[in-house]
Amino acid sequence: MNEEKFTGKADFYDKYRPSYPDSLIDWLYEKTNADTVADIGAGTGKFTACLLKKPWKITAVEPNPDMSEKLSRLKGITVINASAENTGIEQSSIDLVTTAQAFHWFDEELFKKECGRIFRLHGRLAVIFNERNYTGCGISRLRDEICQKYCGAFHSGHVGKRSPEEGDMFLKTEYFSETEYFIAENNIEMDESAFIGDTLSRSYALSEADAGFSDFMRELKSAFEKYEQNGKVAIKYNAKCYLGKF
């Protein structure tokens, strides 16, 4: 089940996954005029914490116990342990649904139906990704090559469902009846611990008990050493948001 993909990875995810730019939150706030927000597939709360910068009433939904334990530490939100397709949120109570770095794990049609159930009039869904930007970022390409070599479940794009280009077209022209789009650079500097930790937070990454883990770690460290400057590497992302109506 998708709900178990990140079991045992919550510490890495919470500490090392990149956050999201303030400009994205400002854009959502201005575009939606929402009072109530539900962050679905909230994980450890990386995006939920960003939402707290605005005066929304926030509900966060996360099915994985390891992840939701971290999520529950955030103050000022309601946490529900449930799936994206059956959130347990009250009917017709939510102005804005957000899902950051999680939409690709959902049953898209059942999730659409659930959003329709919990939406207030004129409710909207924001699908958000920190998407890798490979332009001038050789370390990201090398890291992918290492993961592809060692991690049998490695995937790119929307978890193998679609390439980034196909996913972009799907969300802009197929899934919603009307879509608005936001993109901003979200470049992150990482020291070695952050680079390794971010990699180990991925659903497909080997864990310490897996065969090949020591070689996997050795090659990741070698990649960091190849590209580091003053003890850090620059990882490029584009923060993307598809804000749509059904």
Side-chain angles (χ1 to χ4, degrees):
M1 293 178 66
N2 289 337
E3 286 86 349
E4 301 301 321
K5 294 266 184 196
F6 290 93
T7 297
K9 296 178 180 289
D11 286 340
F12 289 124
Y13 201 110
D14 189 50
K15 189 172 182 180
Y16 297 118
R17 278 293 183 103
S19 186
Y20 301 84
D22 288 344
S23 58
L24 169 55
I25 306 303
D26 292 340
W27 183 80
L28 278 175
Y29 187 69
E30 292 166 6
K31 283 287 181 180
T32 62
N33 195 32
D35 292 320
T36 55
V37 181
D39 191 29
I40 310 297
T44 64
K46 300 297 290 191
F47 190 74
T48 319
C50 297
L51 292 172
L52 284 166
K53 297 171 184 177
K54 302 297 182 184
W56 287 312
K57 180 180 179 182
I58 300 167
T59 301
V61 178
E62 171 55 43
N64 184 281
D66 286 358
M67 305 289 268
S68 63
E69 190 276 330
K70 300 284 187 184
L71 177 64
S72 297
R73 298 179 187 182
L74 288 177
K75 305 299 182 184
I77 67 170
T78 298
V79 175
I80 300 176
N81 300 116
S83 71
E85 300 84 0
N86 186 18
T87 64
I89 294 173
E90 183 181 350
Q91 183 172 333
S92 304
S93 63
I94 300 297
D95 298 310
L96 172 65
V97 170
T98 62
T99 179
Q101 219 68 22
F103 175 76
H104 44 277
W105 296 117
F106 304 163
D107 181 304
E108 294 159 358
E109 292 307 311
L110 291 179
F111 178 56
K112 179 187 286 190
K113 184 178 179 179
E114 179 67 354
C115 286
R117 186 188 71 81
I118 66 176
F119 275 157
R120 288 176 172 169
L121 187 64
H122 308 305
R124 285 191 278 182
L125 166 64
V127 178
I128 298 118
F129 291 104
N130 266 326
E131 188 175 281
R132 295 177 185 90
N133 179 358
Y134 294 101
T135 305
C137 193
I139 190 169
S140 288
R141 291 191 182 280
L142 180 54
R143 176 163 64 172
D144 280 5
E145 290 171 8
I146 294 167
C147 289
Q148 191 167 25
K149 178 180 177 180
Y150 288 98
C151 308
F154 174 76
H155 48 72
S156 59
H158 293 196
V159 194
K161 286 184 180 179
R162 302 176 182 90
S163 69
E165 295 76 19
E166 291 167 339
D168 180 74
M169 185 62 65
F170 173 73
L171 289 167
K172 284 180 176 177
T173 65
E174 295 182 41
Y175 194 60
F176 296 111
S177 63
E178 179 182 319
T179 314
E180 294 182 83
Y181 179 66
F182 174 93
I183 184 170
E185 288 186 359
N186 191 29
N187 300 332
I188 311 293
E189 284 195 337
M190 297 181 179
D191 62 15
E192 185 180 81
S193 293
F195 177 72
I196 298 295
D198 177 58
T199 307
L200 294 180
S201 77
R202 307 290 163 173
S203 62
Y204 50 75
L206 298 185
S207 61
E208 200 167 352
D210 291 325
F213 181 77
S214 60
D215 290 334
F216 179 50
M217 291 291 291
R218 174 179 52 77
E219 292 205 28
L220 287 174
K221 290 178 179 180
S222 177
F224 179 87
E225 291 167 3
K226 179 178 179 179
Y227 284 97
E228 67 87 14
Q229 293 186 356
N230 299 317
K232 293 186 177 182
V233 293
I235 306 295
K236 292 184 175 182
Y237 293 96
N238 288 324
K240 296 184 173 183
C241 179
Y242 304 82
L243 177 64
K245 299 177 181 179
F246 296 124

